Amino acid sequence: QSALTQPASVFGSPGQSITISCTGTSSDVGAYNYVAWYQQHPGKAPKLLIYGVSNRPSGVSNRFSGSKSGNTASLTISGLQAEDEADYYCSSYTYNTFVAFGGGTKLTVL
Amino acid sequence: EVQLVESGGGVIQPGGSLRLSCAASGFSFDDTTMHWVRQAPGKGLEWLSLITWDATTTYFADSVKGRFTISRDNSKNSLYLQMNSLRPDDTALYYCAKDFGSGSSPPYYLDDWGQGTPVTVSS
C-alpha cells in the first residue's frame, strides 16, 4: 500500500482541465514542500514534471501546474491534449522512508 | 544530454543474487546523488535506495534493507545495486535515476531516469 493516496483514474476531454490529488499526512505532504510529480507514458521511463510543489523543470509545458493545501497536493493539467494520456505519480519526502510515491493515476483523454 | 543505461537484469531463482549496473554520462556524475527505483509489472513506482555523491551516505527502503546494497564508482561514472536473497516479489523493472542535488539532505527529486533493466525472480 502506497504512503500517498491518488485516485486510480481520471478522465478528461481535449481542451479541458483536470486535477489529480495526492493525499498524504502531516508527516510527509503536510510537513514539507518537497512534493514532486512524474509523468510516465506506457513503456517509458518516468519524467519529472513538477518539483517543490509547484516548480516546473525547464522544458515542461506551463499547462502543468502544482499546488498544495494541508496534507493534499494537486497536479492540474490545463488545455488537455491527447499526448497527456499517461500515468502520473506524486512523491514526497518522508522522514522515515525518504522518498514515498503515490500509487499512480491513469489519465485518459477521451 | 544526460544518459543513464541500466544493465545486469535477468531471470534468477529465489534466494539468488544479482548485481545491477547503471552507466551514466552527460552530467557531473561525481557531483550527484543517485537513486534506484523499481516498478513491478503493472504496478506503481517504488523507491529503493539512494547514495550521495561521495558514497558516505546511503538510505534504503524497508523492503530491501539488509538484502540490497548500493554503491558507486565515480572513476567509471557507474552506479550499482547488489541484490541478495532475492524473492519473487522483487520481480520488477529496475530504474536508476539522478537527483537534482548531491547531498544526503532532502528534497529528493529524480530529474533523469534510465530505461530500466528487468529482473524476474522465479524458480
Side-chain angles (χ1 to χ4, degrees), chain A residues 33-36 38 40 43-48 51-53 57 89 91 93 96-103, chain B residues 35 37 39 43-47 50 59-62 65 95 100 106-116:
Chain A
N33 287 326
Y34 296 158
V35 175
Y38 300 86
Q40 185 180 34
K44 300 294 187 182
K47 171 189 172 183
L48 181 64
Y51 67 94
V53 177
Y89 295 91
S91 81
Y93 169 73
N96 291 326
T97 59
F98 307 105
V99 179
F101 284 105
Chain B
H35 300 257
V37 176
Q39 187 169 32
K43 301 296 185 183
L45 303 173
E46 180 186 12
W47 177 83
L50 72 80
Y59 296 134
F60 295 90
D62 287 345
K65 198 175 297 182
Y95 292 103
F100 253 27
Y108 307 116
Y109 304 132
L110 285 59
D111 61 352
D112 281 285
W113 300 59
Q115 288 303 306

Side-chain angles (χ1 to χ4, degrees), chain A residues 1-91:
Chain A
Q1 188 171 352
S2 302
L4 308 179
T5 301
Q6 299 180 232
S9 57
V10 296
F11 302 86
S13 298
Q16 284 186 332
S17 294
I18 64 95
T19 297
I20 299 171
S21 62
C22 170
T23 302
T25 69
S26 57
S27 297
D28 40 61
V29 174
Y32 310 97
N33 287 326
Y34 296 158
V35 175
W37 289 90
Y38 300 86
Q39 175 192 59
Q40 185 180 34
H41 286 107
K44 300 294 187 182
K47 171 189 172 183
L48 181 64
L49 275 186
I50 298 285
Y51 67 94
V53 177
S54 60
N55 301 291
R56 282 186 308 276
S58 118
V60 172
S61 170
N62 60 8
R63 297 187 299 105
F64 295 92
S65 62
S67 62
K68 190 186 87 166
S69 177
N71 297 338
T72 298
S74 298
L75 172 71
T76 297
I77 309 174
S78 58
L80 262 185
Q81 299 178 0
E83 68 206 47
D84 299 332
E85 187 161 293
D87 293 327
Y88 292 84
Y89 295 91
C90 63
S91 81

